[in-house]
Coordinates of all heavy atoms in Angstrom, one line a residue:
S1 N 303.5 -143.7 93.2 CA 304.1 -143.3 94.5 C 305.4 -144.0 94.8 O 306.3 -143.3 95.3 CB 303.1 -143.5 95.6 OG 302.0 -142.6 95.4
A2 N 305.5 -145.2 94.6 CA 306.7 -146.0 94.9 C 307.9 -145.5 94.1 O 309.1 -145.7 94.5 CB 306.5 -147.5 94.7
Y3 N 307.7 -144.8 93.0 CA 308.7 -144.4 92.1 C 308.9 -142.9 92.1 O 309.6 -142.3 91.2 CB 308.5 -144.9 90.6 CG 308.2 -146.3 90.6 CD1 306.9 -146.8 90.5 CD2 309.2 -147.3 90.6 CE1 306.6 -148.2 90.4 CE2 309.0 -148.6 90.6 CZ 307.7 -149.1 90.5 OH 307.4 -150.4 90.4
A4 N 308.2 -142.2 92.9 CA 308.1 -140.7 92.9 C 309.5 -140.1 92.9 O 309.7 -139.1 92.1 CB 307.4 -140.2 94.1
D5 N 310.5 -140.6 93.6 CA 311.8 -140.0 93.6 C 312.6 -140.2 92.3 O 313.6 -139.5 92.1 CB 312.6 -140.6 94.8 CG 312.1 -140.1 96.1 OD1 311.3 -139.1 96.2 OD2 312.5 -140.7 97.2
Q6 N 312.2 -141.2 91.5 CA 312.9 -141.5 90.3 C 312.4 -140.8 89.1 O 313.0 -140.8 88.0 CB 312.8 -143.0 90.1 CG 313.5 -143.8 91.2 CD 313.1 -145.3 91.0 OE1 313.0 -145.8 89.9 NE2 313.0 -146.0 92.1
I7 N 311.2 -140.2 89.2 CA 310.6 -139.6 88.0 C 311.2 -138.2 87.8 O 311.1 -137.3 88.6 CB 309.0 -139.5 88.2 CG1 308.4 -140.9 88.3 CG2 308.4 -138.7 87.1 CD1 307.0 -140.9 88.7
T8 N 311.8 -138.0 86.6 CA 312.4 -136.7 86.2 C 311.7 -136.1 85.0 O 311.8 -134.9 84.9 CB 313.9 -136.9 85.9 OG1 314.0 -137.8 84.8 CG2 314.7 -137.4 87.1
E9 N 311.0 -136.8 84.2 CA 310.2 -136.3 83.1 C 308.9 -137.0 82.9 O 308.9 -138.2 83.1 CB 311.1 -136.5 81.8 CG 310.4 -136.0 80.6 CD 311.2 -136.2 79.3 OE1 312.0 -137.2 79.3 OE2 311.1 -135.5 78.4
I10 N 307.9 -136.3 82.5 CA 306.6 -136.9 82.2 C 306.2 -136.5 80.8 O 306.3 -135.3 80.5 CB 305.5 -136.4 83.2 CG1 305.8 -136.8 84.6 CG2 304.1 -136.8 82.8 CD1 304.9 -136.2 85.7
V11 N 305.9 -137.5 80.0 CA 305.4 -137.3 78.7 C 304.0 -137.8 78.6 O 303.7 -139.0 78.8 CB 306.3 -138.0 77.6 CG1 305.7 -137.7 76.2 CG2 307.7 -137.5 77.7
I12 N 303.0 -136.9 78.4 CA 301.6 -137.2 78.3 C 301.3 -137.6 76.9 O 301.6 -137.0 76.0 CB 300.7 -136.0 78.8 CG1 301.2 -135.5 80.1 CG2 299.2 -136.4 78.7 CD1 300.9 -136.4 81.3
S13 N 300.5 -138.8 76.8 CA 300.2 -139.3 75.5 C 299.2 -138.4 74.7 O 298.3 -137.7 75.4 CB 299.5 -140.7 75.6 OG 300.4 -141.6 76.2
D14 N 299.3 -138.4 73.4 CA 298.4 -137.6 72.6 C 297.0 -138.2 72.8 O 296.8 -139.4 73.0 CB 298.8 -137.7 71.1 CG 298.0 -136.8 70.2 OD1 297.8 -135.6 70.7 OD2 297.7 -137.1 69.1
G15 N 296.0 -137.3 72.8 CA 294.6 -137.7 73.0 C 294.1 -137.3 74.4 O 292.9 -137.4 74.6
I16 N 295.0 -137.1 75.3 CA 294.6 -136.7 76.7 C 294.1 -135.3 76.7 O 294.8 -134.4 76.2 CB 295.8 -136.9 77.7 CG1 296.2 -138.3 77.8 CG2 295.4 -136.4 79.1 CD1 295.2 -139.3 78.3
H17 N 292.9 -135.1 77.2 CA 292.2 -133.8 77.2 C 292.6 -133.0 78.4 O 292.9 -131.8 78.3 CB 290.7 -134.0 77.1 CG 289.9 -132.7 77.1 ND1 289.5 -132.1 78.3 CD2 289.6 -131.9 76.1 CE1 288.8 -131.0 78.0 NE2 288.9 -130.8 76.7
D18 N 292.6 -133.6 79.6 CA 293.0 -132.8 80.7 C 293.8 -133.7 81.7 O 293.7 -134.9 81.7 CB 291.8 -132.1 81.4 CG 290.8 -133.0 82.1 OD1 291.2 -133.5 83.2 OD2 289.7 -133.2 81.5
I19 N 294.6 -132.9 82.5 CA 295.5 -133.6 83.5 C 294.7 -133.6 84.8 O 294.3 -132.5 85.3 CB 296.8 -132.8 83.6 CG1 297.4 -132.5 82.3 CG2 297.7 -133.5 84.6 CD1 297.7 -133.7 81.4
G20 N 294.5 -134.7 85.4 CA 293.6 -134.8 86.6 C 294.2 -134.1 87.8 O 295.4 -133.9 88.0
Q21 N 293.2 -133.9 88.7 CA 293.5 -133.3 90.0 C 294.6 -134.1 90.7 O 294.4 -135.3 90.9 CB 292.2 -133.2 90.8 CG 292.5 -132.7 92.2 CD 291.1 -132.5 92.9 OE1 290.3 -131.7 92.5 NE2 290.9 -133.3 94.0
M22 N 295.6 -133.5 91.2 CA 296.7 -134.1 92.0 C 297.4 -135.2 91.3 O 298.1 -136.0 91.9 CB 296.2 -134.6 93.4 CG 295.6 -133.5 94.2 SD 295.0 -134.1 95.8 CE 295.8 -132.9 96.9
A23 N 297.3 -135.3 90.0 CA 297.9 -136.4 89.2 C 299.4 -136.6 89.4 O 299.8 -137.7 89.5 CB 297.5 -136.3 87.7
F24 N 300.1 -135.5 89.5 CA 301.6 -135.6 89.6 C 302.0 -134.8 90.8 O 303.1 -134.1 90.8 CB 302.2 -135.1 88.3 CG 301.8 -135.9 87.1 CD1 300.9 -135.4 86.2 CD2 302.2 -137.3 87.0 CE1 300.5 -136.2 85.1 CE2 301.8 -138.0 85.9 CZ 300.9 -137.5 85.0
Y25 N 301.3 -134.8 91.9 CA 301.5 -134.1 93.1 C 302.8 -134.5 93.8 O 303.1 -135.7 93.9 CB 300.3 -134.5 94.0 CG 300.2 -133.7 95.3 CD1 299.5 -132.6 95.4 CD2 300.7 -134.3 96.5 CE1 299.3 -131.9 96.6 CE2 300.6 -133.6 97.7 CZ 299.9 -132.5 97.8 OH 299.7 -131.8 99.0
E26 N 303.6 -133.5 94.1 CA 304.9 -133.7 94.9 C 305.8 -134.8 94.3 O 306.2 -135.7 95.0 CB 304.5 -134.0 96.3 CG 303.9 -132.8 97.0 CD 303.7 -133.0 98.5 OE1 303.8 -134.1 99.0 OE2 303.4 -132.0 99.2
L27 N 306.2 -134.6 93.1 CA 307.3 -135.4 92.5 C 308.6 -134.6 92.7 O 308.8 -133.7 91.9 CB 307.0 -135.7 91.0 CG 305.7 -136.6 90.8 CD1 305.5 -136.8 89.3 CD2 305.8 -137.9 91.5
P28 N 309.4 -135.0 93.6 CA 310.5 -134.1 94.0 C 311.6 -133.9 93.0 O 312.3 -132.9 93.0 CB 311.1 -134.8 95.2 CG 310.7 -136.2 95.1 CD 309.4 -136.2 94.4
N29 N 311.8 -134.8 92.0 CA 312.8 -134.7 91.0 C 312.3 -134.5 89.6 O 313.1 -134.5 88.7 CB 313.7 -136.0 91.1 CG 314.4 -136.1 92.4 OD1 315.0 -135.1 92.9 ND2 314.3 -137.2 93.1
L30 N 311.0 -134.2 89.5 CA 310.5 -133.9 88.2 C 311.0 -132.6 87.7 O 311.0 -131.6 88.4 CB 309.0 -133.8 88.3 CG 308.2 -133.5 87.0 CD1 308.4 -134.6 85.9 CD2 306.7 -133.2 87.3
T31 N 311.6 -132.6 86.4 CA 312.1 -131.3 85.9 C 311.4 -130.9 84.6 O 311.5 -129.7 84.3 CB 313.7 -131.5 85.6 OG1 313.8 -132.5 84.6 CG2 314.5 -131.7 86.8
E32 N 310.8 -131.8 83.9 CA 310.2 -131.4 82.6 C 308.9 -132.2 82.4 O 308.8 -133.4 82.7 CB 311.1 -131.7 81.5 CG 310.6 -131.3 80.1 CD 311.6 -131.5 79.0 OE1 312.7 -132.0 79.2 OE2 311.2 -131.1 77.9

């Protein structure tokens, strides 16, 4: 949360089966 405005890309590690509920909720600058 403290870095929400700085996050522009998320790369999920191999082996993750599902993306949790609200995991990346309202990241205003996320593009990819």
